[in-house]
């Protein structure tokens, strides 16, 4: 088995009391203890501690959530929500673990079969694109 740095080491750390505004693209594994206002994309695992607050979408290999996320989470390998977590957004994964007491409001796609997962994910992305385009048209019409 080849050694991969995102399997065992943290590449990026956002500490407690830190606040970041803007989208982040991370190579490898990230753990967040502060606040992020923007989308987070990581090639490895994302850990959101119970003190963390994220307002944006998360895309990663896997995600462990203990804090607050207002946005969609896409993590093909797995998503785990601890009882301290609060997620308002859609989940898309092949393996989902929810502890008792988790607050989750949104839609969920969790299919272990790769082909079914990819097809459902594609349909969900298409639907989201149509929905956001429709919302944009309505907001433009209202502005006129």
């Amino acid at each position: 088995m080849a050694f991969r740095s995102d399997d065992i080491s943290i590449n990026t750390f956002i500490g407690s009391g830190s606040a970041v505004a803007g989208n982040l693209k991370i190579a490898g594994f990230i753990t967040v203890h502060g606040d992020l206002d923007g989308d987070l994309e990581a090639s490895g695992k994302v850990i959101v501690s119970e003190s963390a607050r994220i307002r944006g979408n998360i895309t990663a290999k896997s995600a462990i959530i203990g804090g607050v996320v207002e946005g969609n989470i896409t993590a093909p390998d797995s998503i785990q929500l601890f009882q301290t977590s609060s997620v308002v957004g859609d989940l898309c994964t092949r393996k989902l673990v929810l502890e008792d007491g988790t607050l989750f409001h949104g839609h969920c796609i969790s299919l272990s079969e790769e082909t079914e997962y990819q097809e459902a994910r594609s349909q969900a992305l298409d639907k989201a694109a149509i929905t956001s385009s429709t919302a944009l048209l309505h907001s433009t019409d209202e502005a006129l």
Side-chain angles (χ1 to χ4, degrees), residues 6-50:
D6 65 17
D7 288 340
I8 61 170
S9 65
I10 297 171
N11 301 92
T12 305
F13 183 89
I14 298 174
S16 183
S18 298
V20 178
N23 298 334
L24 295 176
K25 187 171 183 175
I26 305 299
F29 181 162
I30 180 172
T31 184
V32 180
H33 292 267
D35 296 339
L36 171 62
D37 190 3
D39 293 342
L40 173 58
E41 182 181 340
S43 62
K45 182 185 293 185
V46 169
I47 295 178
V48 178
S49 78
E50 65 183 73

Side-chain angles (χ1 to χ4, degrees), residues 21-142:
N23 298 334
L24 295 176
K25 187 171 183 175
I26 305 299
F29 181 162
I30 180 172
T31 184
V32 180
H33 292 267
D35 296 339
L36 171 62
D37 190 3
D39 293 342
L40 173 58
E41 182 181 340
S43 62
K45 182 185 293 185
V46 169
I47 295 178
V48 178
S49 78
E50 65 183 73
S51 64
R53 307 290 177 258
I54 296 179
R55 186 179 309 181
N57 299 321
I58 297 173
T59 304
K61 186 175 179 180
S62 63
I64 298 173
I65 310 297
V68 175
V69 176
E70 293 179 29
N72 301 330
I73 304 172
T74 302
D77 285 359
S78 67
I79 296 174
Q80 183 173 3
L81 303 181
F82 288 126
Q83 69 181 28
T84 57
S85 68
S86 174
V87 176
V88 178
D90 298 340
L91 305 177
C92 187
T93 187
R94 288 192 302 257
K95 180 181 177 186
L96 178 63
V97 177
L98 298 169
E99 285 189 351
D100 287 343
T102 298
L103 175 68
F104 166 60
H105 181 75
H107 295 96
C108 178
I109 295 172
S110 181
L111 298 164
S112 60
E113 168 57 41
E114 178 67 24
T115 306
E116 291 175 1
Y117 168 78
Q118 291 298 340
E119 185 175 322
R121 181 174 181 262
S122 177
Q123 289 174 358
L125 290 172
D126 290 346
K127 183 178 178 181
I130 291 168
T131 303
S132 66
S133 295
T134 303
L136 181 61
L137 284 173
H138 288 294
S139 67
T140 304
D141 290 342
E142 290 172 3

